[in-house]
């Protein structure tokens, strides 16, 4: 599967993104091991065999080790860099025991973060850089300066955000010359406020929802690719123990298993197919380091195409636990 030029919403022809947060071992500063590099290599190979050519990182994942082991794998595979789209995120700073955990969209931090990302990955450029979480102290003009310098130097080709509202994106875009091409949000079958927000208009039960009204429509109208983190619901419907689970979770797990058996596919493909059926052409970011689980997602695109409106609503209603109004 060849990589397409990023233009507007279509950042690649990879309908699924491989999320690399699971690579690199534990969340500490211990050195990564040869075994962890091997795990990363197997996961990357499984992703490529599945047709996935886009890989998502963040400078904080496993304290930088996720990017570092990915870089080790790329060293052993000449030509791989030109076959894939690399995306990473910056802006979250962990506590060091003195300073608090915080967000930092200052020009100096963005620039230094990108230099660290490129060094760990062993590449000269990122295809996409995302601002990881909204910084209340962000200055759009300062971010614009950082983006312009990164673009001019060739270190970053395209820019986007993660976990941002439509208003926050508009606020940034007023200063940033480059179009924001991605917004990465938590979207999946066990968190449904992104859908409920749209159907509970003028209803009392909709007043407690916390999902930004209009964000999906804004991204669609502005050709901003929606990416979904957590799309497999942390295994809740695809093999995780159901001990103590709610009745809707148990019922939905059974329904997904039934659909998978009838269609001769995997529960993972059904779950992702449901998400990808949405008209926003959502790109799931699967965050597993298991090569086998990556391969289980291979049929997701076909399942999205085959899924009927009735199938989609059956899963949505089952996960909600109550019918739509």
């Amino acid at each position: 599967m060849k990589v397409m030029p990023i233009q507007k919403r279509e950042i690649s022809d990879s309908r699924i993104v491989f999320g690399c947060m699971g690579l690199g071992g534990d969340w500490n500063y211990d050195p990564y091991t040869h075994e962890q590099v091997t795990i990363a290599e197997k996961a990357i190979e499984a992703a490529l065999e599945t047709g996935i050519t886009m890989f998502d990182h963040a400078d904080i994942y496993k304290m930088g080790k996720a990017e570092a082991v990915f870089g080790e794998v790329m060293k052993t595979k000449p030509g791989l860099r030109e076959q894939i789209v690399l995306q990473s995120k910056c802006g979250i700073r962990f506590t060091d025991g003195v300073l608090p955990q915080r967000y930092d969209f200052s020009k100096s931090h963005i620039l230094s973060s990108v230099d660290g990302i490129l060094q760990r990955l062993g590449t000269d450029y990122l295809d996409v850089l995302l601002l990881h979480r909204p910084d209340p102290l962000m200055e759009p003009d300062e971010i614009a300066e950082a983006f312009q310098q990164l673009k001019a130097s060739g270190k970053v080709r395209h820019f986007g955000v993660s976990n941002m509202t439509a208003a926050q994106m508009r606020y940034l875009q007023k200063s940033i010359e480059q179009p924001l091409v991605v917004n990465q949000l938590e979207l999946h079958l066990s968190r449904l406020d992104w859908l409920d927000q749209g159907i509970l208009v003028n209803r009392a039960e909709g007043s407690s929802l916390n999902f930004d009204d209009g964000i999906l429509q804004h991204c669609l109208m502005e050709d901003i690719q929606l990416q979904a983190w957590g799309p497999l619901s942390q295994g809740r419907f695809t093999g995780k123990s159901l001990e103590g689970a709610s009745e809707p979770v148990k019922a939905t797990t059974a329904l997904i298993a039934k659909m998978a058996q009838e269609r001769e596919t995997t529960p993972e493909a059904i779950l992702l197919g449901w998400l990808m059926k949405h008209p926003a052409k959502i790109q799931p970011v699967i965050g597993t380091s298991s090569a086998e689980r990556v391969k289980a997602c291979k049929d997701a695109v076909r399942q999205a195409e085959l899924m009927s409106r009735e199938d989609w609503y059956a899963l949505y209603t089952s996960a909600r636990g109550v019918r739509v109004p």
Side-chain angles (χ1 to χ4, degrees), residues 75-249:
K75 288 179 187 177
T76 68
K77 298 181 180 298
L80 176 61
R81 179 65 187 95
E82 288 70 37
Q83 300 171 29
I84 62 176
V85 171
L86 278 180
Q87 171 178 283
S88 194
K89 301 181 284 291
C90 72
I92 296 178
R93 303 187 72 169
F94 290 145
T95 179
D96 59 5
V98 178
L99 297 174
Q101 180 162 319
R102 59 209 182 276
Y103 307 132
D104 190 345
F105 287 176
S106 65
K107 177 181 176 181
S108 61
H109 182 68
I110 292 172
L111 294 178
S112 65
S113 293
V114 170
D115 284 342
I117 290 167
L118 297 180
Q119 187 274 326
R120 288 187 292 274
L121 287 172
T123 184
D124 295 329
Y125 69 96
L126 280 178
D127 293 289
V128 190
L129 174 70
L130 307 184
L131 299 176
H132 206 157
R133 283 191 177 275
D135 176 10
L137 300 181
M138 65 184 177
E139 298 279 358
D141 290 343
E142 185 175 3
I143 295 170
E145 289 179 11
F147 282 9
Q148 185 59 35
Q149 186 169 327
L150 291 169
K151 178 76 172 180
S153 67
K155 292 181 179 180
V156 179
R157 295 184 172 179
H158 302 275
F159 301 88
V161 297
S162 182
N163 305 298
M164 284 202 185
T165 67
Q168 288 168 330
M169 285 186 286
R170 287 193 294 266
Y171 179 55
L172 283 176
Q173 196 67 79
K174 77 178 183 67
S175 297
I176 297 171
E177 179 180 337
Q178 298 81 13
L180 298 173
V181 299
V182 170
N183 189 13
Q184 191 176 112
L185 302 166
E186 184 180 10
L187 309 170
H188 50 76
L189 191 57
S190 56
R191 178 180 174 175
L192 296 170
D193 52 355
W194 60 285
L195 293 172
D196 290 345
Q197 181 74 51
I199 68 167
L200 296 179
V201 176
N202 200 35
R203 296 184 65 88
E205 60 265 42
S207 62
S208 62
L209 293 174
N210 192 37
F211 192 80
D212 180 48
D213 188 22
I215 190 170
L216 300 184
Q217 292 78 10
H218 173 77
C219 290
L220 279 166
M221 290 188 294
E222 297 299 324
D223 290 320
I224 299 168
Q225 175 67 60
L226 280 165
Q227 292 179 348
W229 62 268
L232 291 172
S233 298
Q234 294 77 50
R236 187 166 297 153
F237 304 115
T238 55
K240 189 175 182 179
S241 172
L242 294 176
E243 184 178 355
S246 66
E247 288 307 312
V249 168

Side-chain angles (χ1 to χ4, degrees), residues 60-76:
I60 63 167
Y61 288 166
K62 303 301 177 65
M63 311 306 188
K65 291 184 292 185
E67 291 173 333
V69 297
F70 196 98
E72 293 285 359
V73 174
M74 286 209 297
K75 288 179 187 177
T76 68

